[in-house]
Amino acid sequence: MIVIAATKNKGKVREMQEILFPLAIEIISQEEAGIELDVEETGDTFERNALLKARAVAMVCDYPVLADDSGLCVDALGGAPGVHSARYAGEDATNSEKINKLLNELGNNDNRNAKFVTCVAFIMPDGTEIIAKGEVKGHITHAPEGNNGFGYDPIFFSDELGKTFAQSSDEEKNSVSHRGRALRSLYEKLKEM
Ligand code: ITT
């Protein structure tokens, strides 16, 4: 099955491809499909924003569409940056700027518990919508560690892997990540249909 990914984030596209290819789902990014859309993420939940992105792309193509809205929720920051993870340090901020802002906000707080959350929205050409979610728990390191992955990966220490996501291979990250779990849950729902 060929699916259009309703995202402009290249890190997400790569992970979607790696996770879904073994399940016989081929991901093509909206950019590769020639779809130029900038969807404003006005929702206050991951689910609402995933649906906003998926619906916008589904309106202009005849393929199944998959959107991912995700973020990092830090306990001591009341769940921030959460749905605002992409623009936490401003519209055009780099990953380093976002990471530095988060580390500064957290300071030396002993409670460094955090989780990554993903909500995926899948829309079939007949308009059927399927939602699936995934989470992974861990904690925020005191400094960035590792160069793999994207976004906040260098400061997210996965309890299950015993290292940061940026110190992990793609395969290791995908095996426990919020995105891996959400996409495998989506696949199970699709199989049942
Ligand atoms: P699209 O809306 O085009 O999909 P985006 O990057 O704006 O791309 P989100 O609104 O879902 O996507 O923002 C999620 C942000 O959370 C993302 O930009 C990263 O900074 C961070 N994030 C999400 N998943 C991540 C992961 O697996 N590793 C590290 N950071 C992640």
Side-chain angles (χ1 to χ4, degrees):
M1 173 166 45
I2 293 180
V3 172
I4 308 292
T7 176
K8 292 189 158 178
N9 183 318
K10 291 188 166 61
K12 283 187 188 176
V13 172
R14 195 187 67 246
E15 291 182 8
M16 285 174 171
Q17 287 169 332
E18 289 167 351
I19 295 161
L20 294 174
F21 185 74
L23 304 176
I25 297 176
E26 188 184 340
I27 292 291
I28 295 183
S29 69
Q30 68 175 74
E31 188 186 6
E32 286 169 310
I35 299 170
E36 240 320 309
L37 268 182
D38 230 337
V39 182
E40 219 188 316
E41 295 179 34
T42 50
D44 54 1
T45 63
F46 294 112
E47 181 170 335
R48 288 203 186 100
N49 285 328
L51 276 169
L52 278 175
K53 292 188 266 193
R55 284 175 185 158
V57 172
M59 294 268 284
V60 297
C61 81
D62 298 325
Y63 283 93
V65 171
L66 175 63
D68 160 322
D69 199 64
S70 43
L72 180 61
C73 305
V74 180
D75 284 5
L77 301 180
V83 291
H84 305 294
S85 294
R87 280 155 283 277
Y88 184 48
E91 194 61 41
D92 297 316
T94 61
N95 286 329
S96 303
E97 287 167 337
K98 288 189 268 191
I99 284 174
N100 286 337
K101 175 164 180 190
L102 198 146
L103 289 179
N104 281 336
E105 298 274 333
L106 203 50
N108 279 327
N109 202 315
D110 284 337
N111 177 5
R112 308 191 77 83
N113 295 337
K115 64 180 178 183
F116 265 126
V117 178
T118 289
C119 178
V120 290
F122 183 84
I123 306 187
M124 307 218 240
D126 71 359
T128 307
E129 296 179 342
I130 306 172
I131 297 290
K133 293 174 185 167
E135 286 188 8
V136 57
K137 291 201 166 114
H139 63 263
I140 304 300
T141 56
H142 286 271
E145 305 270 3
N147 298 309
N148 299 332
F150 69 97
Y152 298 90
D153 281 344
I155 55 166
F156 184 81
F157 187 94
S158 160
D159 294 339
E160 282 152 283
L161 296 178
K163 51 187 165 182
T164 69
F165 273 171
Q167 291 172 314
S168 310
S169 66
D170 287 1
E171 209 179 10
E172 288 171 326
K173 178 183 171 186
N174 294 338
S175 71
V176 301
S177 78
H178 48 318
R179 184 160 298 104
R181 288 181 171 144
L183 291 173
R184 285 188 289 274
S185 161
L186 172 72
Y187 177 72
E188 290 306 316
K189 292 185 183 191
L190 281 172
K191 267 200 320 194
E192 281 165 20
M193 291 176 73

PDB file of all heavy atoms in Angstrom, residues 20-54:
ATOM      1  N   LEU A  20       7.346   1.254   8.780  1.00  0.00           N
ATOM      2  CA  LEU A  20       6.224   0.671   8.017  1.00  0.00           C
ATOM      3  C   LEU A  20       6.643  -0.171   6.817  1.00  0.00           C
ATOM      4  O   LEU A  20       5.875  -1.023   6.362  1.00  0.00           O
ATOM      5  CB  LEU A  20       5.270   1.792   7.579  1.00  0.00           C
ATOM      6  CG  LEU A  20       4.547   2.478   8.748  1.00  0.00           C
ATOM      7  CD1 LEU A  20       3.732   3.657   8.257  1.00  0.00           C
ATOM      8  CD2 LEU A  20       3.632   1.481   9.480  1.00  0.00           C
ATOM      9  N   PHE A  21       7.871   0.023   6.312  1.00  0.00           N
ATOM     10  CA  PHE A  21       8.303  -0.741   5.138  1.00  0.00           C
ATOM     11  C   PHE A  21       8.213  -2.263   5.380  1.00  0.00           C
ATOM     12  O   PHE A  21       7.674  -2.992   4.546  1.00  0.00           O
ATOM     13  CB  PHE A  21       9.725  -0.320   4.724  1.00  0.00           C
ATOM     14  CG  PHE A  21      10.183  -0.984   3.461  1.00  0.00           C
ATOM     15  CD1 PHE A  21       9.674  -0.594   2.228  1.00  0.00           C
ATOM     16  CD2 PHE A  21      11.112  -2.011   3.502  1.00  0.00           C
ATOM     17  CE1 PHE A  21      10.076  -1.220   1.060  1.00  0.00           C
ATOM     18  CE2 PHE A  21      11.526  -2.637   2.343  1.00  0.00           C
ATOM     19  CZ  PHE A  21      11.010  -2.242   1.117  1.00  0.00           C
ATOM     20  N   PRO A  22       8.692  -2.759   6.545  1.00  0.00           N
ATOM     21  CA  PRO A  22       8.574  -4.203   6.800  1.00  0.00           C
ATOM     22  C   PRO A  22       7.118  -4.672   6.895  1.00  0.00           C
ATOM     23  O   PRO A  22       6.847  -5.857   6.812  1.00  0.00           O
ATOM     24  CB  PRO A  22       9.273  -4.395   8.156  1.00  0.00           C
ATOM     25  CG  PRO A  22      10.049  -3.152   8.377  1.00  0.00           C
ATOM     26  CD  PRO A  22       9.373  -2.060   7.645  1.00  0.00           C
ATOM     27  N   LEU A  23       6.194  -3.740   7.082  1.00  0.00           N
ATOM     28  CA  LEU A  23       4.768  -4.096   7.175  1.00  0.00           C
ATOM     29  C   LEU A  23       4.075  -3.874   5.827  1.00  0.00           C
ATOM     30  O   LEU A  23       2.841  -3.813   5.751  1.00  0.00           O
ATOM     31  CB  LEU A  23       4.094  -3.255   8.278  1.00  0.00           C
ATOM     32  CG  LEU A  23       4.750  -3.374   9.663  1.00  0.00           C
ATOM     33  CD1 LEU A  23       4.091  -2.433  10.661  1.00  0.00           C
ATOM     34  CD2 LEU A  23       4.659  -4.799  10.171  1.00  0.00           C
ATOM     35  N   ALA A  24       4.884  -3.741   4.762  1.00  0.00           N
ATOM     36  CA  ALA A  24       4.376  -3.609   3.379  1.00  0.00           C
ATOM     37  C   ALA A  24       3.602  -2.307   3.147  1.00  0.00           C
ATOM     38  O   ALA A  24       2.686  -2.247   2.341  1.00  0.00           O
ATOM     39  CB  ALA A  24       3.520  -4.820   2.995  1.00  0.00           C
ATOM     40  N   ILE A  25       3.978  -1.258   3.897  1.00  0.00           N
ATOM     41  CA  ILE A  25       3.383   0.067   3.661  1.00  0.00           C
ATOM     42  C   ILE A  25       4.507   0.995   3.213  1.00  0.00           C
ATOM     43  O   ILE A  25       5.501   1.177   3.930  1.00  0.00           O
ATOM     44  CB  ILE A  25       2.700   0.620   4.929  1.00  0.00           C
ATOM     45  CG1 ILE A  25       1.532  -0.308   5.316  1.00  0.00           C
ATOM     46  CG2 ILE A  25       2.224   2.053   4.712  1.00  0.00           C
ATOM     47  CD1 ILE A  25       0.827   0.075   6.605  1.00  0.00           C
ATOM     48  N   GLU A  26       4.361   1.552   2.006  1.00  0.00           N
ATOM     49  CA  GLU A  26       5.393   2.429   1.465  1.00  0.00           C
ATOM     50  C   GLU A  26       4.986   3.893   1.677  1.00  0.00           C
ATOM     51  O   GLU A  26       3.906   4.313   1.253  1.00  0.00           O
ATOM     52  CB  GLU A  26       5.566   2.159  -0.040  1.00  0.00           C
ATOM     53  CG  GLU A  26       6.757   2.889  -0.618  1.00  0.00           C
ATOM     54  CD  GLU A  26       6.876   2.701  -2.129  1.00  0.00           C
ATOM     55  OE1 GLU A  26       6.298   1.736  -2.656  1.00  0.00           O
ATOM     56  OE2 GLU A  26       7.524   3.535  -2.762  1.00  0.00           O
ATOM     57  N   ILE A  27       5.876   4.622   2.356  1.00  0.00           N
ATOM     58  CA  ILE A  27       5.586   6.029   2.677  1.00  0.00           C
ATOM     59  C   ILE A  27       6.225   6.959   1.658  1.00  0.00           C
ATOM     60  O   ILE A  27       7.426   6.873   1.389  1.00  0.00           O
ATOM     61  CB  ILE A  27       6.143   6.368   4.083  1.00  0.00           C
ATOM     62  CG1 ILE A  27       5.359   5.629   5.172  1.00  0.00           C
ATOM     63  CG2 ILE A  27       6.141   7.872   4.340  1.00  0.00           C
ATOM     64  CD1 ILE A  27       3.941   6.102   5.367  1.00  0.00           C
ATOM     65  N   ILE A  28       5.412   7.865   1.118  1.00  0.00           N
ATOM     66  CA  ILE A  28       5.923   8.912   0.228  1.00  0.00           C
ATOM     67  C   ILE A  28       5.608  10.242   0.899  1.00  0.00           C
ATOM     68  O   ILE A  28       4.466  10.466   1.342  1.00  0.00           O
ATOM     69  CB  ILE A  28       5.231   8.830  -1.143  1.00  0.00           C
ATOM     70  CG1 ILE A  28       5.612   7.503  -1.795  1.00  0.00           C
ATOM     71  CG2 ILE A  28       5.580  10.015  -2.035  1.00  0.00           C
ATOM     72  CD1 ILE A  28       5.075   7.291  -3.172  1.00  0.00           C
ATOM     73  N   SER A  29       6.610  11.104   1.028  1.00  0.00           N
ATOM     74  CA  SER A  29       6.358  12.365   1.730  1.00  0.00           C
ATOM     75  C   SER A  29       5.482  13.274   0.872  1.00  0.00           C
ATOM     76  O   SER A  29       5.441  13.145  -0.351  1.00  0.00           O
ATOM     77  CB  SER A  29       7.679  13.072   2.040  1.00  0.00           C
ATOM     78  OG  SER A  29       8.263  13.523   0.838  1.00  0.00           O
ATOM     79  N   GLN A  30       4.810  14.211   1.532  1.00  0.00           N
ATOM     80  CA  GLN A  30       3.949  15.135   0.775  1.00  0.00           C
ATOM     81  C   GLN A  30       4.787  15.955  -0.200  1.00  0.00           C
ATOM     82  O   GLN A  30       4.330  16.289  -1.290  1.00  0.00           O
ATOM     83  CB  GLN A  30       3.130  16.025   1.710  1.00  0.00           C
ATOM     84  CG  GLN A  30       3.902  17.049   2.513  1.00  0.00           C
ATOM     85  CD  GLN A  30       2.980  17.956   3.325  1.00  0.00           C
ATOM     86  OE1 GLN A  30       2.427  17.552   4.329  1.00  0.00           O
ATOM     87  NE2 GLN A  30       2.815  19.200   2.883  1.00  0.00           N
ATOM     88  N   GLU A  31       6.048  16.214   0.186  1.00  0.00           N
ATOM     89  CA  GLU A  31       6.945  16.959  -0.704  1.00  0.00           C
ATOM     90  C   GLU A  31       7.205  16.150  -1.983  1.00  0.00           C
ATOM     91  O   GLU A  31       7.076  16.666  -3.096  1.00  0.00           O
ATOM     92  CB  GLU A  31       8.255  17.237   0.029  1.00  0.00           C
ATOM     93  CG  GLU A  31       9.190  18.157  -0.730  1.00  0.00           C
ATOM     94  CD  GLU A  31      10.547  18.280  -0.026  1.00  0.00           C
ATOM     95  OE1 GLU A  31      10.785  17.580   0.973  1.00  0.00           O
ATOM     96  OE2 GLU A  31      11.358  19.073  -0.521  1.00  0.00           O
ATOM     97  N   GLU A  32       7.540  14.848  -1.804  1.00  0.00           N
ATOM     98  CA  GLU A  32       7.779  13.982  -2.968  1.00  0.00           C
ATOM     99  C   GLU A  32       6.522  13.868  -3.826  1.00  0.00           C
ATOM    100  O   GLU A  32       6.603  13.692  -5.040  1.00  0.00           O
ATOM    101  CB  GLU A  32       8.181  12.569  -2.514  1.00  0.00           C
ATOM    102  CG  GLU A  32       9.585  12.452  -1.983  1.00  0.00           C
ATOM    103  CD  GLU A  32       9.823  11.103  -1.317  1.00  0.00           C
ATOM    104  OE1 GLU A  32       9.018  10.686  -0.462  1.00  0.00           O
ATOM    105  OE2 GLU A  32      10.823  10.477  -1.641  1.00  0.00           O
ATOM    106  N   ALA A  33       5.359  13.946  -3.196  1.00  0.00           N
ATOM    107  CA  ALA A  33       4.096  13.832  -3.945  1.00  0.00           C
ATOM    108  C   ALA A  33       3.712  15.171  -4.583  1.00  0.00           C
ATOM    109  O   ALA A  33       2.687  15.274  -5.242  1.00  0.00           O
ATOM    110  CB  ALA A  33       2.986  13.359  -3.009  1.00  0.00           C
ATOM    111  N   GLY A  34       4.541  16.211  -4.356  1.00  0.00           N
ATOM    112  CA  GLY A  34       4.295  17.523  -4.960  1.00  0.00           C
ATOM    113  C   GLY A  34       3.164  18.286  -4.291  1.00  0.00           C
ATOM    114  O   GLY A  34       2.538  19.154  -4.898  1.00  0.00           O
ATOM    115  N   ILE A  35       2.922  17.981  -3.014  1.00  0.00           N
ATOM    116  CA  ILE A  35       1.827  18.672  -2.308  1.00  0.00           C
ATOM    117  C   ILE A  35       2.423  19.778  -1.429  1.00  0.00           C
ATOM    118  O   ILE A  35       3.135  19.508  -0.460  1.00  0.00           O
ATOM    119  CB  ILE A  35       1.003  17.678  -1.457  1.00  0.00           C
ATOM    120  CG1 ILE A  35       0.373  16.628  -2.370  1.00  0.00           C
ATOM    121  CG2 ILE A  35      -0.051  18.408  -0.644  1.00  0.00           C
ATOM    122  CD1 ILE A  35      -0.265  15.466  -1.635  1.00  0.00           C
ATOM    123  N   GLU A  36       2.140  21.018  -1.793  1.00  0.00           N
ATOM    124  CA  GLU A  36       2.662  22.196  -1.088  1.00  0.00           C
ATOM    125  C   GLU A  36       1.578  22.715  -0.159  1.00  0.00           C
ATOM    126  O   GLU A  36       0.647  23.384  -0.614  1.00  0.00           O
ATOM    127  CB  GLU A  36       3.022  23.279  -2.109  1.00  0.00           C
ATOM    128  CG  GLU A  36       4.474  23.730  -2.125  1.00  0.00           C
ATOM    129  CD  GLU A  36       5.123  23.880  -0.759  1.00  0.00           C
ATOM    130  OE1 GLU A  36       4.548  24.558   0.114  1.00  0.00           O
ATOM    131  OE2 GLU A  36       6.202  23.313  -0.561  1.00  0.00           O
ATOM    132  N   LEU A  37       1.658  22.394   1.113  1.00  0.00           N
ATOM    133  CA  LEU A  37       0.615  22.836   2.042  1.00  0.00           C
ATOM    134  C   LEU A  37       1.263  23.207   3.359  1.00  0.00           C
ATOM    135  O   LEU A  37       2.142  22.489   3.838  1.00  0.00           O
ATOM    136  CB  LEU A  37      -0.345  21.684   2.324  1.00  0.00           C
ATOM    137  CG  LEU A  37      -1.600  21.516   1.479  1.00  0.00           C
ATOM    138  CD1 LEU A  37      -2.393  20.327   1.989  1.00  0.00           C
ATOM    139  CD2 LEU A  37      -2.444  22.769   1.531  1.00  0.00           C
ATOM    140  N   ASP A  38       0.830  24.291   3.955  1.00  0.00           N
ATOM    141  CA  ASP A  38       1.290  24.641   5.285  1.00  0.00           C
ATOM    142  C   ASP A  38       0.065  24.674   6.190  1.00  0.00           C
ATOM    143  O   ASP A  38      -0.745  25.591   6.081  1.00  0.00           O
ATOM    144  CB  ASP A  38       1.978  26.011   5.255  1.00  0.00           C
ATOM    145  CG  ASP A  38       3.322  25.943   5.925  1.00  0.00           C
ATOM    146  OD1 ASP A  38       3.507  25.025   6.750  1.00  0.00           O
ATOM    147  OD2 ASP A  38       4.179  26.795   5.623  1.00  0.00           O
ATOM    148  N   VAL A  39      -0.088  23.683   7.010  1.00  0.00           N
ATOM    149  CA  VAL A  39      -1.292  23.594   7.836  1.00  0.00           C
ATOM    150  C   VAL A  39      -1.018  24.228   9.192  1.00  0.00           C
ATOM    151  O   VAL A  39      -0.035  23.879   9.861  1.00  0.00           O
ATOM    152  CB  VAL A  39      -1.705  22.110   8.033  1.00  0.00           C
ATOM    153  CG1 VAL A  39      -2.987  22.017   8.843  1.00  0.00           C
ATOM    154  CG2 VAL A  39      -1.852  21.433   6.685  1.00  0.00           C
ATOM    155  N   GLU A  40      -1.871  25.144   9.613  1.00  0.00           N
ATOM    156  CA  GLU A  40      -1.693  25.772  10.916  1.00  0.00           C
ATOM    157  C   GLU A  40      -2.170  24.811  12.010  1.00  0.00           C
ATOM    158  O   GLU A  40      -3.307  24.301  11.929  1.00  0.00           O
ATOM    159  CB  GLU A  40      -2.493  27.070  10.972  1.00  0.00           C
ATOM    160  CG  GLU A  40      -1.734  28.156  11.703  1.00  0.00           C
ATOM    161  CD  GLU A  40      -2.598  29.371  11.939  1.00  0.00           C
ATOM    162  OE1 GLU A  40      -3.314  29.765  11.007  1.00  0.00           O
ATOM    163  OE2 GLU A  40      -2.559  29.867  13.072  1.00  0.00           O
ATOM    164  N   GLU A  41      -1.289  24.548  12.969  1.00  0.00           N
ATOM    165  CA  GLU A  41      -1.645  23.574  14.021  1.00  0.00           C
ATOM    166  C   GLU A  41      -2.328  24.305  15.170  1.00  0.00           C
ATOM    167  O   GLU A  41      -1.709  24.664  16.151  1.00  0.00           O
ATOM    168  CB  GLU A  41      -0.394  22.827  14.470  1.00  0.00           C
ATOM    169  CG  GLU A  41       0.169  21.983  13.342  1.00  0.00           C
ATOM    170  CD  GLU A  41       1.433  21.237  13.712  1.00  0.00           C
ATOM    171  OE1 GLU A  41       1.561  20.812  14.873  1.00  0.00           O
ATOM    172  OE2 GLU A  41       2.282  21.079  12.826  1.00  0.00           O
ATOM    173  N   THR A  42      -3.632  24.499  15.026  1.00  0.00           N
ATOM    174  CA  THR A  42      -4.375  25.292  16.001  1.00  0.00           C
ATOM    175  C   THR A  42      -4.982  24.444  17.113  1.00  0.00           C
ATOM    176  O   THR A  42      -5.563  24.976  18.041  1.00  0.00           O
ATOM    177  CB  THR A  42      -5.507  26.060  15.286  1.00  0.00           C
ATOM    178  OG1 THR A  42      -6.229  25.115  14.482  1.00  0.00           O
ATOM    179  CG2 THR A  42      -4.958  27.147  14.384  1.00  0.00           C
ATOM    180  N   GLY A  43      -4.851  23.121  17.011  1.00  0.00           N
ATOM    181  CA  GLY A  43      -5.450  22.239  18.015  1.00  0.00           C
ATOM    182  C   GLY A  43      -4.705  22.293  19.335  1.00  0.00           C
ATOM    183  O   GLY A  43      -3.530  22.637  19.383  1.00  0.00           O
ATOM    184  N   ASP A  44      -5.423  21.948  20.429  1.00  0.00           N
ATOM    185  CA  ASP A  44      -4.756  21.924  21.736  1.00  0.00           C
ATOM    186  C   ASP A  44      -4.441  20.503  22.180  1.00  0.00           C
ATOM    187  O   ASP A  44      -4.054  20.267  23.323  1.00  0.00           O
ATOM    188  CB  ASP A  44      -5.597  22.671  22.788  1.00  0.00           C
ATOM    189  CG  ASP A  44      -7.025  22.134  22.848  1.00  0.00           C
ATOM    190  OD1 ASP A  44      -7.331  21.185  22.093  1.00  0.00           O
ATOM    191  OD2 ASP A  44      -7.820  22.662  23.644  1.00  0.00           O
ATOM    192  N   THR A  45      -4.632  19.530  21.284  1.00  0.00           N
ATOM    193  CA  THR A  45      -4.243  18.150  21.598  1.00  0.00           C
ATOM    194  C   THR A  45      -3.487  17.584  20.395  1.00  0.00           C
ATOM    195  O   THR A  45      -3.637  18.066  19.262  1.00  0.00           O
ATOM    196  CB  THR A  45      -5.467  17.246  21.860  1.00  0.00           C
ATOM    197  OG1 THR A  45      -6.250  17.179  20.665  1.00  0.00           O
ATOM    198  CG2 THR A  45      -6.305  17.749  23.008  1.00  0.00           C
ATOM    199  N   PHE A  46      -2.688  16.525  20.656  1.00  0.00           N
ATOM    200  CA  PHE A  46      -1.964  15.867  19.565  1.00  0.00           C
ATOM    201  C   PHE A  46      -2.964  15.305  18.556  1.00  0.00           C
ATOM    202  O   PHE A  46      -2.748  15.377  17.350  1.00  0.00           O
ATOM    203  CB  PHE A  46      -1.086  14.734  20.129  1.00  0.00           C
ATOM    204  CG  PHE A  46       0.026  15.218  21.023  1.00  0.00           C
ATOM    205  CD1 PHE A  46       0.023  14.956  22.388  1.00  0.00           C
ATOM    206  CD2 PHE A  46       1.082  15.940  20.486  1.00  0.00           C
ATOM    207  CE1 PHE A  46       1.058  15.406  23.201  1.00  0.00           C
ATOM    208  CE2 PHE A  46       2.125  16.392  21.292  1.00  0.00           C
ATOM    209  CZ  PHE A  46       2.102  16.124  22.651  1.00  0.00           C
ATOM    210  N   GLU A  47      -4.063  14.773  19.050  1.00  0.00           N
ATOM    211  CA  GLU A  47      -5.051  14.149  18.158  1.00  0.00           C
ATOM    212  C   GLU A  47      -5.663  15.185  17.206  1.00  0.00           C
ATOM    213  O   GLU A  47      -5.765  14.957  16.002  1.00  0.00           O
ATOM    214  CB  GLU A  47      -6.144  13.469  18.985  1.00  0.00           C
ATOM    215  CG  GLU A  47      -7.171  12.797  18.108  1.00  0.00           C
ATOM    216  CD  GLU A  47      -8.126  11.909  18.901  1.00  0.00           C
ATOM    217  OE1 GLU A  47      -7.762  11.423  19.986  1.00  0.00           O
ATOM    218  OE2 GLU A  47      -9.243  11.702  18.408  1.00  0.00           O
ATOM    219  N   ARG A  48      -6.049  16.332  17.758  1.00  0.00           N
ATOM    220  CA  ARG A  48      -6.673  17.361  16.900  1.00  0.00           C
ATOM    221  C   ARG A  48      -5.696  17.822  15.826  1.00  0.00           C
ATOM    222  O   ARG A  48      -6.059  17.994  14.662  1.00  0.00           O
ATOM    223  CB  ARG A  48      -7.127  18.562  17.729  1.00  0.00           C
ATOM    224  CG  ARG A  48      -8.332  18.241  18.557  1.00  0.00           C
ATOM    225  CD  ARG A  48      -9.126  19.493  18.950  1.00  0.00           C
ATOM    226  NE  ARG A  48     -10.170  19.070  19.871  1.00  0.00           N
ATOM    227  CZ  ARG A  48     -10.102  19.200  21.196  1.00  0.00           C
ATOM    228  NH1 ARG A  48      -9.083  19.809  21.749  1.00  0.00           N
ATOM    229  NH2 ARG A  48     -11.054  18.747  21.963  1.00  0.00           N
ATOM    230  N   ASN A  49      -4.437  18.031  16.220  1.00  0.00           N
ATOM    231  CA  ASN A  49      -3.458  18.521  15.235  1.00  0.00           C
ATOM    232  C   ASN A  49      -3.129  17.455  14.185  1.00  0.00           C
ATOM    233  O   ASN A  49      -2.957  17.774  13.013  1.00  0.00           O
ATOM    234  CB  ASN A  49      -2.183  18.985  15.945  1.00  0.00           C
ATOM    235  CG  ASN A  49      -2.380  20.324  16.633  1.00  0.00           C
ATOM    236  OD1 ASN A  49      -3.151  21.158  16.144  1.00  0.00           O
ATOM    237  ND2 ASN A  49      -1.721  20.537  17.744  1.00  0.00           N
ATOM    238  N   ALA A  50      -3.074  16.187  14.599  1.00  0.00           N
ATOM    239  CA  ALA A  50      -2.812  15.122  13.620  1.00  0.00           C
ATOM    240  C   ALA A  50      -3.953  15.081  12.607  1.00  0.00           C
ATOM    241  O   ALA A  50      -3.730  14.963  11.391  1.00  0.00           O
ATOM    242  CB  ALA A  50      -2.665  13.779  14.334  1.00  0.00           C
ATOM    243  N   LEU A  51      -5.183  15.214  13.108  1.00  0.00           N
ATOM    244  CA  LEU A  51      -6.334  15.189  12.194  1.00  0.00           C
ATOM    245  C   LEU A  51      -6.340  16.396  11.256  1.00  0.00           C
ATOM    246  O   LEU A  51      -6.648  16.273  10.067  1.00  0.00           O
ATOM    247  CB  LEU A  51      -7.638  15.143  12.996  1.00  0.00           C
ATOM    248  CG  LEU A  51      -8.064  13.736  13.432  1.00  0.00           C
ATOM    249  CD1 LEU A  51      -9.198  13.812  14.448  1.00  0.00           C
ATOM    250  CD2 LEU A  51      -8.481  12.883  12.233  1.00  0.00           C
ATOM    251  N   LEU A  52      -5.981  17.574  11.798  1.00  0.00           N
ATOM    252  CA  LEU A  52      -5.930  18.785  10.955  1.00  0.00           C
ATOM    253  C   LEU A  52      -4.984  18.572   9.778  1.00  0.00           C
ATOM    254  O   LEU A  52      -5.297  18.879   8.623  1.00  0.00           O
ATOM    255  CB  LEU A  52      -5.410  19.979  11.772  1.00  0.00           C
ATOM    256  CG  LEU A  52      -6.377  20.739  12.658  1.00  0.00           C
ATOM    257  CD1 LEU A  52      -5.617  21.794  13.462  1.00  0.00           C
ATOM    258  CD2 LEU A  52      -7.438  21.417  11.796  1.00  0.00           C
ATOM    259  N   LYS A  53      -3.783  18.014  10.081  1.00  0.00           N
ATOM    260  CA  LYS A  53      -2.764  17.830   9.033  1.00  0.00           C
ATOM    261  C   LYS A  53      -3.208  16.759   8.042  1.00  0.00           C
ATOM    262  O   LYS A  53      -3.083  16.927   6.824  1.00  0.00           O
ATOM    263  CB  LYS A  53      -1.414  17.448   9.678  1.00  0.00           C
ATOM    264  CG  LYS A  53      -0.803  18.590  10.486  1.00  0.00           C
ATOM    265  CD  LYS A  53       0.603  18.279  10.963  1.00  0.00           C
ATOM    266  CE  LYS A  53       0.661  17.701  12.336  1.00  0.00           C
ATOM    267  NZ  LYS A  53       2.005  17.678  12.932  1.00  0.00           N
ATOM    268  N   ALA A  54      -3.734  15.641   8.552  1.00  0.00           N
ATOM    269  CA  ALA A  54      -4.137  14.551   7.654  1.00  0.00           C
ATOM    270  C   ALA A  54      -5.296  14.988   6.751  1.00  0.00           C
ATOM    271  O   ALA A  54      -5.291  14.712   5.546  1.00  0.00           O
ATOM    272  CB  ALA A  54      -4.529  13.326   8.477  1.00  0.00           C
TER     273      ALA A  54
END
